[in-house]
Amino acid sequence: MKYLTITTFPNQAWYDYLHISTTSYLHFFPAEIPLLMKLTKDDMQDVVNESLANLINNIKNGKEGRKVHIETGMTKEEVDFYTRHKDYKNEGDYRTNYIDFSHKIFALYQAYLFAKKEGIDYIIWLDADIIVKDEVSIEDIEKWHNGADIAYLGRKDWDHSECGLVMYKTETAGEFIAHFHEMYVRDGVLDLEQYHDSYIFDYIKKQFSDLTYHNISEGIDGRDVFNESILGE
């Protein structure tokens, strides 16, 4: 089974994520799982490459051979989307912040195309602010997805899922990801009650009822289902 992890964050946050979440990921995730990092602009390619090279070279726990792929710049769809919405100003409510969360979905779609080309079985979406605190094995990851087409963190006590970590089977969840992408490309998110990725994930999930889903946080109370699930063990 081949895996790919994808994350994204703005260029200006590079050093923050490099020294916290990225470092923890490189130390604790299996070395055979490549990391795809999507940056929002292409003006830091040299800085990013040098920083990553130094970081990877300093890892001495058997993870030295990890592959890290950097995607910079924007696709035509992204450019068109952000041009259309250049005057958008968020008032502080994450539920209507379609700009910030759109970066996740554009990155996820690029990861899907990369995974298809490279013969990757599962794509692991990981929010950039997630800190890995202990060794993660392939066996752990297999428990997370449990063979499902999509594995996610549901919230029974909240009106939307937690999408800080989502796993997609490349072969079967491709149309789901493509539809997710189209919701932003065609501004379909603006027709919904909420505009962020977790709400839209739940909306699309209802349309793809033929896929198999594994709720990693099944039965867990409250909002903080990530830390209370097996992911927090």
Side-chain angles (χ1 to χ4, degrees), residues 40-98:
T40 53
K41 298 179 182 178
D42 58 7
D43 59 355
M44 290 183 62
Q45 184 74 60
D46 293 339
V47 172
V48 168
N49 287 341
E50 181 179 358
S51 299
L52 275 174
N54 290 336
L55 179 59
I56 293 173
N57 288 338
N58 288 329
I59 295 176
K60 304 299 182 184
N61 61 352
K63 307 290 179 68
E64 297 89 339
R66 181 187 306 282
K67 293 182 179 179
V68 180
H69 305 276
I70 307 295
E71 289 281 349
T72 60
M74 294 187 180
T75 63
K76 181 181 184 302
E77 289 85 358
E78 287 176 272
V79 171
D80 290 346
F81 177 82
Y82 297 118
T83 299
R84 288 197 306 275
H85 302 288
K86 64 182 184 300
D87 297 325
Y88 168 79
K89 293 182 180 179
N90 180 253
E91 301 299 331
D93 184 355
Y94 79 91
R95 295 175 185 271
T96 56
N97 188 348
Y98 59 91

Side-chain angles (χ1 to χ4, degrees), residues 4-158:
L4 169 72
T5 302
I6 170 67
T7 193
T8 189
F9 46 82
N11 287 35
Q12 63 266 26
W14 166 248
Y15 289 106
D16 294 332
Y17 290 121
L18 171 67
H19 292 109
I20 302 176
S21 56
T22 305
T23 300
S24 73
Y25 174 88
L26 294 174
H27 273 282
F28 292 124
F29 252 64
E32 60 266 37
I33 299 180
L35 173 64
L36 178 62
M37 304 175 74
K38 174 74 164 65
L39 301 182
T40 53
K41 298 179 182 178
D42 58 7
D43 59 355
M44 290 183 62
Q45 184 74 60
D46 293 339
V47 172
V48 168
N49 287 341
E50 181 179 358
S51 299
L52 275 174
N54 290 336
L55 179 59
I56 293 173
N57 288 338
N58 288 329
I59 295 176
K60 304 299 182 184
N61 61 352
K63 307 290 179 68
E64 297 89 339
R66 181 187 306 282
K67 293 182 179 179
V68 180
H69 305 276
I70 307 295
E71 289 281 349
T72 60
M74 294 187 180
T75 63
K76 181 181 184 302
E77 289 85 358
E78 287 176 272
V79 171
D80 290 346
F81 177 82
Y82 297 118
T83 299
R84 288 197 306 275
H85 302 288
K86 64 182 184 300
D87 297 325
Y88 168 79
K89 293 182 180 179
N90 180 253
E91 301 299 331
D93 184 355
Y94 79 91
R95 295 175 185 271
T96 56
N97 188 348
Y98 59 91
I99 294 296
D100 286 356
F101 291 105
S102 67
H103 294 292
K104 292 179 61 172
I105 308 312
F106 285 121
L108 174 62
Y109 185 67
Q110 285 190 256
Y112 166 64
L113 297 178
F114 181 91
K116 280 184 62 179
K117 183 178 66 174
E118 297 295 325
I120 301 293
D121 298 295
Y122 271 98
I123 302 163
I124 306 171
W125 172 269
L126 200 65
D127 275 2
D129 59 354
I130 291 176
I131 299 174
V132 187
K133 296 183 177 180
D134 203 353
E135 200 73 27
V136 174
S137 67
I138 293 295
E139 290 73 22
D140 291 328
I141 294 171
E142 289 173 346
K143 291 179 183 176
W144 297 351
H145 65 70
N146 200 31
D149 296 320
I150 298 177
Y152 70 106
L153 290 154
R155 284 171 165 155
K156 68 183 185 65
D157 296 327
W158 202 243

Side-chain angles (χ1 to χ4, degrees), residues 168-227:
Y168 299 89
K169 185 182 286 186
T170 309
E171 182 179 4
T172 54
E175 288 188 24
F176 185 107
I177 296 172
H179 189 62
F180 216 160
H181 179 249
E182 282 296 300
M183 288 289 289
Y184 283 92
V185 169
R186 301 187 182 280
D187 293 339
V189 296
L190 301 181
D191 295 329
L192 302 183
E193 185 178 338
Q194 299 179 34
Y195 305 154
H196 57 95
D197 66 296
S198 294
Y199 187 87
I200 299 163
F201 172 88
D202 291 337
Y203 172 81
I204 298 174
K205 181 170 169 284
K206 295 175 183 177
Q207 300 178 46
F208 285 81
S209 57
D210 56 324
L211 297 180
T212 59
Y213 297 89
H214 176 57
N215 183 356
I216 301 170
S217 53
E218 182 72 41
I220 294 177
D221 297 331
R223 289 181 58 187
D224 188 16
V225 295
F226 192 110
N227 290 332

